[in-house]
C-alpha cells in the first residue's frame, strides 16, 4: 500500500521525460484511493486527498524562508524555479508535490521579534503570512505551505533526534566557537576575520565566508558525530556523480573537496538559556535543537515522517526528487542533510539544484544589505508571468545576475508582447477564421497550392520544429535548465513570426487563406501548450482565446494536427491581448 499526501495531478501519465511517446491518458478517478493522514496542515486541509497508487509523486521543495524580514526577489526566484520544475513534471503526466514554507525558529527570528517588540509567535504568524501571500500572488502551485512551528513538524524533528540518538550519533560535550546569528551557524577560527572600528574603538569579528558578524560562545551542547560520516558521504557522492546529486557540477565539486578535507562534529543544540525559540531536545528541556537540524527536517515532516510508522514512511513521497537551494546554503543541504539521513537510515534526496544569487548594483540582494527589490511592486507593474519569464530566462544557475526592473519591462515588450502575444492576436484577428481553417484542413483542402517551393520548405521546417518542441524542451528540463527550455520555445516563436511575414495572409485571397491560418493557429496552440509550466497565466489566456478545451492541453497534444476541435469564437472581435501592452 502506497501513501502520500494530496498532490497535484493531471490526467496524463508518462513513464519518464525522454519517453513522451509513452504518454497515455488515464482516468482521474482510478488514482484516487484511500486517504491516510500524513500531516498535511491547514494550507492543504487535513484528511483531504492523500492518494494511494503505484508510483510516488515527483516531490520538489524550495528552501523554507526565514521570517526575520519580508520576502524579496531572491526568495521569489527560489519559488519560481521550484514551481517550474513541479509544473513541468505535471505537464509530462507525473503526479507532483511542491513544498514551500517558513523557517521560524532560532535566535535570528527571536531577535527580530524583540526588535519590534512583538511576541515571537505573533511576529512569525505575520511574516510567514507575507511569504504565503507571495506564493499565492506569484501563482506558485504549492501543495503545502509548511511552518516549522507546525505541530506535525515538531513531532518529526523530535523523532529524527531520537532516532539519531538511538543509533549512537548524538553525544553531549563542551563547545566553544564563533557563532553568527545571521547565518545561524558556528565558524572555526580559520574562517573569521577581526576588524578594528576606529569610530567605536571596538574590534569586531566577522565570518570570512559571509561577512556576517560573529560572537564568541562557550557552552554545553549536544553534538552530531559528523566526522564519522566522511566515508559514507564520499561513497554516496561517488555513486551519484553521474546523475548529479548536486547540480551544477561546479557546486558538487566544492562539496566533495570540502568533505574530502575532513569533517568536524557538529553542534546540534544550544542551551535554552541562550535561546528558547525552538524545539526542545527530547528529554532535556535545558537544550534547544539547532535551527538547521530543525529546518532541514521540514522536507520529511511534509512526507509524514513524524506521523507514519516506519513501514508507511517507506511508501511515502519521500525522498525528494529536487531540493532547490541558493548557493549560500549548499553546505547544509549537501553535507549535513545527507549525513543526518544516512545516520538515521533514511533514503537520500535525488537532486539538490543550486542557484546563484540575484544582485542589485553588484552585491547580493538582501535585507541586511539594504538593496532589496520588492517582488510585489515588480509584479504589479509588469504582471506575474512577465516577472516569472525574466527570472527564468536568466540562467543564474551558472552565475550571479543583476536584477533590473527596466530590463523586466524590455524583455516583456520584446519577447512576450511582440513575439508571443502579437502572434496570437494576429491569428485571432476578426479578418480570419481558425474554425474555418480547421474545417478546410479536415476536408482535405489543398494545402498552399498557390505557394512556391521555397515557402513550402520553410513551412515544413517550422512544423517539424514545432513537432519536436516538447522533446527539445524536455532535454533542457532534464538538465534543470528552464532558460534553455525558454530559448527553444522562443526559437519556434521567432520562426513562426517570420512565417507570418513571409505568408502575408492579409494580402492573400480569402479562398487561399486557410492553410496559412491553420499553420499560424497550430503554432500558437503548440507553443502555448508547452509554455504552461513556465508562464501558466499567459499560456492559459492564449489557450482560452484559441478555445482549446481544458482536456486537450497536455503534452501529447503539442503536435501538429493533434487537436482539430478548437477555434470556436476565437476570431470574434476581442480587444484583449494575451500580454496587455503597457502605456
Ligand atoms: N531558512 C534558511 C533555509 C532553510 S531550508 C531547510 C534560509 N532562508 S533564507 O530566507 O535566508 O533564504 C531562502 C532562500 O532564498 C535561499 O535559497 C537563498 O539562497 C535564497 N536567496 C536569498 N537571497 C537571494 C538572492 N539575492 N538571490 C537569489 N536567491 C537568494 O537560508
Amino acid at each position: 500500500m502506497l501513501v502520500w499526501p494530496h498532490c497535484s495531478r493531471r490526467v496524463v501519465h508518462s513513464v519518464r521525460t525522454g519517453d513522451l511517446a509513452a504518454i497515455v491518458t488515464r482516468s482521474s478517478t482510478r488514482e484516487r484511493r484511500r486517504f491516510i493522514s500524513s500531516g498535511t496542515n491547514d494550507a492543504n486541509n487535513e484528511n483531504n486527498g492523500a492518494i494511494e497508487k503505484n508510483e510516488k509523486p515527483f516531490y520538489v521543495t524550495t528552501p523554507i524562508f526565514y521570517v526575520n524580514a519580508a520576502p524579496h526577489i531572491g526568495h521569489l526566484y527560489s519559488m519560481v524555479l521550484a514551481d517550474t520544475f513541479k509544473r513541468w513534471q505535471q505537464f509530462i503526466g507525473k503526479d507532483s508535490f511542491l513544498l514551500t514554507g517558513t523557517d521560524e525558529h532560532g535566535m535570528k527570528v527571536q531577535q527580530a521579534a524583540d526588535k519590534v517588540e512583538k511576541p515571537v509567535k505573533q511576529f512569525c504568524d505575520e511574516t510567514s503570512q507575507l511569504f504565503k501571500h507571495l506564493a499565492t500572488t506569484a501563482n506558485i502551485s504549492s501543495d503545502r505551505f509548511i511552518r516549522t512551528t507546525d505541530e506535525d513538524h515538531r513531532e518529526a524533528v523530535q523523532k529524527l533526534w531520537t532516532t539519531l540518538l538511538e543509533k549512537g550519533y548524538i553525544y553531549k560535550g563542551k563547545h566553544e566557537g564563533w557563532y553568527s546569528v545571521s547565518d545561524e551557524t558556528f565558524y572555526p577560527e580559520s574562517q573569521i576575520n577581526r576588524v578594528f572600528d576606529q569610530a567605536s574603538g571596538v574590534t569586531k569579528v566577522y565570518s570570512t565566508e559571509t561577512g556576517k558578524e560573529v560572537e564568541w560562545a562557550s557552552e554545553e551542547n549536544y553534538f552530531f558525530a559528523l566526522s564519522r560520516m566522511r566515508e559514507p558521504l564520499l561513497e554516496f557522492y561517488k555513486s551519484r556523480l553521474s546523475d548529479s546529486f548536486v547540480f551544477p557540477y561546479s557546486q558538487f565539486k566544492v562539496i566533495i573537496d570540502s568533505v574530502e578535507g575532513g569533517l568536524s562534529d557538529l553542534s546540534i543544540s544550544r542551551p535554552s538559556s541562550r535561546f528558547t525559540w525552538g524545539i526542545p531536545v527530547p528529554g532535556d528541556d535545558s537544550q534547544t535543537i539547532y535551527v538547521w537540524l530543525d529546518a532541514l527536517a521540514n522536507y520529511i515532516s511534509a512526507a509524514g515522517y513524524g506521523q507514519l510508522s516506519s513501514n508507511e514512511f517507506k511508501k511515502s513521497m519521500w525522498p525528494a526528487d529536487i531540493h532547490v537551494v541558493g548557493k549560500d546554503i549548499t553546505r547544509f543541504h549537501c553535507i549535513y542533510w545527507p549525513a543526518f539521513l544516512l545516520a538515521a537510515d533514511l533514503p537520500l534526496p535525488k537532486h539538490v539544484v543550486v542557484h546563484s544569487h540575484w544582485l542589485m548594483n553588484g552585491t547580493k540582494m538582501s535585507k541586511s544589505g539594504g538593496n532589496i527589490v520588492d517582488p510585489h511592486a515588480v509584479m504589479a507593474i509588469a504582471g506575474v508571468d512577465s516577472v516569472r519569464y525574466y527570472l527564468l530566462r536568466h540562467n543564474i544557475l551558472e552565475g550571479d545576475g543583476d536584477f533590473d526592473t527596466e530590463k523586466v519591462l524590455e524583455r516583456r515588450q520584446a519577447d512576450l508582447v511582440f513575439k508571443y502575444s502579437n502572434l496570437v492576436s494576429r491569428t485571432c484577428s476578426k479578418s480570419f477564421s481558425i474554425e474555418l481553417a480547421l474545417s478546410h484542413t479536415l476536408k482535405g483542402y489543398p494545402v498552399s497550392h498557390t505557394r512556391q517551393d521555397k515557402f513550402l520548405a520553410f513551412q515544413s521546417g517550422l512544423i517539424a520544429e514545432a513537432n519536436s518542441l516538447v522533446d527539445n524542451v524536455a532535454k533542457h528540463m532534464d538538465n534543470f535548465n528552464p532558460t534553455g527550455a525558454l530559448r527553444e520555445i522562443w526559437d519556434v516563436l521567432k520562426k513562426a513570426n517570420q512565417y507570418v511575414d513571409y505568408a502575408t495572409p492579409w494580402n492573400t485571397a480569402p479562398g487561399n487563406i486557410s492553410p496559412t491560418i491553420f499553420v499560424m493557429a497550430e503554432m500558437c496552440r503548440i507553443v502555448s501548450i508547452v509554455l504552461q509550466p513556465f508562464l501558466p497565466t499567459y499560456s492559459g489566456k492564449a489557450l482560452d482565446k484559441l478555445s482549446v478545451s481544458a482536456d486537450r492541453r497536455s503534452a501529447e497534444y503539442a503536435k501538429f494536427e493533434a487537436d482539430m476541435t478548437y477555434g470556436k469564437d476565437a476570431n470574434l472581435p476581442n480587444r484583449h491581448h494575451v500580454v496587455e501592452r503597457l502605456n
Side-chain angles (χ1 to χ4, degrees):
M1 182 191 311
L2 303 182
V3 182
W4 53 79
H6 172 81
C7 59
S8 313
R9 293 166 300 118
R10 292 186 64 93
V11 290
V12 288
H13 165 69
S14 154
V15 182
R16 63 190 168 84
T17 309
D19 190 16
L20 288 164
I23 293 173
V24 290
T25 306
R26 69 180 165 190
S27 127
S28 56
T29 46
R30 203 184 81 196
E31 58 195 59
R32 184 171 287 282
R33 306 213 182 109
R34 195 166 74 81
F35 174 81
I36 294 184
S37 170
S38 48
T40 52
N41 73 349
D42 58 342
N44 203 34
N45 295 329
E46 266 177 87
N47 294 348
N48 180 17
I51 53 177
E52 173 206 332
K53 59 188 187 56
N54 295 324
E55 202 186 338
K56 88 170 194 66
F58 194 92
Y59 180 23
V60 185
T61 69
T62 73
I64 47 171
F65 304 96
Y66 285 131
V67 289
N68 62 313
H72 59 65
I73 279 284
H75 301 133
L76 176 61
Y77 180 72
S78 291
M79 287 186 188
V80 168
L81 193 58
D83 180 59
T84 305
F85 290 141
K86 180 224 160 157
R87 285 180 186 270
W88 172 258
Q89 291 300 323
Q90 260 187 294
F91 176 66
I92 60 166
K94 276 212 139 197
D95 290 330
S96 341
F97 191 98
L98 174 61
L99 179 70
T100 190
T102 43
D103 187 355
E104 305 187 9
H105 291 135
M107 270 187 165
K108 177 170 163 143
V109 172
Q110 193 174 317
Q111 287 180 0
D114 290 348
K115 211 167 157 191
V116 292
E117 296 178 357
K118 284 197 176 163
V120 63
K121 179 63 169 60
Q122 180 193 334
F123 176 78
C124 288
D125 290 346
E126 289 171 8
T127 322
S128 175
Q129 195 52 39
L130 298 179
F131 283 93
K132 201 170 181 178
H133 176 57
L134 176 65
T136 310
T137 311
N139 207 356
I140 303 302
S141 58
S142 64
D143 296 283
R144 177 170 176 188
F145 188 94
I146 196 170
R147 299 180 56 184
T148 51
T149 46
D150 288 342
E151 189 48 37
D152 65 325
H153 172 71
R154 164 196 286 262
E155 286 168 18
V157 172
Q158 292 193 325
K159 180 169 166 183
L160 179 60
W161 179 284
T162 309
T163 305
L164 294 173
L165 185 74
E166 283 168 4
K167 292 193 182 278
Y169 285 94
I170 293 182
Y171 65 94
K172 204 166 189 182
K174 179 148 167 69
H175 189 259
E176 286 191 327
W178 295 101
Y179 194 78
S180 159
V181 174
S182 180
D183 299 333
E184 294 282 19
T185 193
F186 277 102
Y187 289 106
E189 191 66 34
S190 58
Q191 285 178 27
I192 57 113
N193 183 23
R194 289 179 175 77
V195 179
F196 180 69
D197 180 30
Q198 294 276 5
S200 60
V202 175
T203 298
K204 291 197 171 173
V205 190
Y206 299 92
S207 148
T208 47
E209 187 186 329
T210 61
K212 295 286 168 23
E213 197 170 346
V214 294
E215 60 190 26
W216 183 251
S218 172
E219 55 199 32
E220 277 253 292
N221 288 345
Y222 285 98
F223 283 82
F224 171 72
L226 184 63
S227 55
R228 279 169 50 194
M229 302 313 292
R230 183 178 172 276
E231 293 312 317
L233 277 174
L234 288 172
E235 211 170 291
F236 165 65
Y237 297 151
K238 206 167 129 197
S239 73
R240 301 282 283 276
L241 258 188
S242 59
D243 73 344
S244 309
F245 168 60
V246 183
F247 182 89
Y249 179 72
S250 53
Q251 296 285 353
F252 202 176
K253 178 89 174 57
V254 173
I255 293 295
I256 295 170
D257 289 351
S258 160
V259 174
E260 271 176 346
L263 293 169
S264 311
D265 288 353
L266 182 69
S267 157
I268 51 164
S269 75
R270 302 210 65 196
S272 307
S273 55
R274 293 187 74 96
F275 91 108
T276 48
W277 184 237
I279 300 174
V281 166
D284 183 355
D285 281 358
S286 73
Q287 294 274 324
T288 306
I289 295 176
Y290 175 46
V291 283
W292 270 101
L293 175 56
D294 169 346
L296 288 162
N298 90 87
Y299 303 131
I300 51 175
S301 311
Y305 180 69
Q307 311 295 308
L308 302 173
S309 70
S310 61
N311 261 345
E312 282 174 331
F313 187 68
K314 279 191 192 131
K315 298 163 194 160
S316 76
M317 67 179 178
W318 184 257
D321 293 278
I322 301 182
H323 289 316
V324 168
V325 304
K327 67 179 181 182
D328 51 322
I329 54 174
T330 46
R331 183 161 48 104
F332 302 97
H333 283 83
C334 308
I335 302 178
Y336 299 172
W337 183 225
F340 296 149
L341 292 167
L342 280 168
D345 220 1
L346 291 169
L348 297 160
K350 304 251 176 67
H351 305 284
V352 180
V353 174
V354 181
H355 63 77
S356 294
H357 290 146
W358 286 102
L359 314 178
M360 262 281 269
N361 310 323
T363 47
K364 183 188 169 200
M365 193 183 295
S366 68
K367 167 88 180 181
S368 54
N371 59 344
I372 58 167
V373 175
D374 173 6
H376 291 286
V378 193
M379 288 190 291
I381 301 169
V384 171
D385 276 14
S386 294
V387 178
R388 288 177 68 110
Y389 179 75
Y390 178 84
L391 293 173
L392 293 171
R393 189 69 204 241
H394 284 74
N395 195 355
I396 73 151
L397 286 173
E398 300 297 337
D400 294 345
D402 232 19
F403 188 89
D404 183 341
T405 307
E406 279 303 309
K407 294 233 165 72
V408 177
L409 296 175
E410 279 169 30
R411 277 279 185 185
R412 181 185 196 280
Q413 188 73 355
D415 296 357
L416 297 169
V417 173
F418 285 148
K419 295 211 180 74
Y420 179 43
S421 184
N422 276 3
L423 182 69
V424 179
S425 294
R426 283 159 118 186
T427 310
C428 295
S429 154
K430 61 180 176 3
S431 320
F432 310 135
S433 168
I434 297 177
E435 219 179 351
L436 191 65
L438 260 75
S439 110
H440 280 162
T441 309
L442 282 170
K443 285 181 194 146
Y445 197 79
V447 174
S448 301
H449 62 281
T450 58
R451 301 289 189 182
Q452 295 166 349
D453 287 352
K454 218 169 129 197
F455 173 84
L456 294 177
F458 187 86
Q459 180 174 275
S460 308
L462 174 64
I463 294 170
E465 273 187 38
N467 273 338
S468 44
L469 187 60
V470 175
D471 286 337
N472 289 340
V473 166
K475 280 181 205 137
H476 289 291
M477 294 308 282
D478 284 349
N479 284 315
F480 315 105
N481 183 3
T483 306
L486 286 176
R487 218 178 287 127
E488 290 289 343
I489 299 172
W490 257 261
D491 281 350
V492 172
L493 274 174
K494 186 173 162 204
K495 208 159 183 179
N497 278 292
Q498 286 169 349
Y499 173 79
V500 180
D501 294 340
Y502 204 163
T504 57
W506 44 89
N507 289 336
T508 309
N512 289 332
I513 215 171
S514 279
T516 302
I517 301 305
F518 179 61
V519 172
M520 285 164 65
E522 282 294 84
M523 291 309 121
C524 293
R525 188 183 65 81
I526 292 169
V527 161
S528 299
I529 287 178
V530 183
L531 265 181
Q532 290 175 101
F534 308 89
L535 310 178
T537 307
Y538 292 159
S539 57
K541 272 168 96 174
L543 292 167
D544 289 348
K545 209 171 157 71
L546 295 163
S547 299
V548 175
S549 69
D551 59 353
R552 289 168 180 258
R553 297 180 180 193
S554 44
E556 80 266 38
Y557 287 102
K559 292 272 188 266
F560 202 71
E561 296 185 0
D563 176 12
M564 298 297 285
T565 64
Y566 67 105
K568 188 167 182 324
D569 297 341
N571 299 86
L572 290 181
N574 172 358
R575 290 172 348 133
H576 291 296
H577 298 285
V578 168
V579 188
E580 295 297 345
R581 289 165 180 78
L582 298 176
N583 295 319

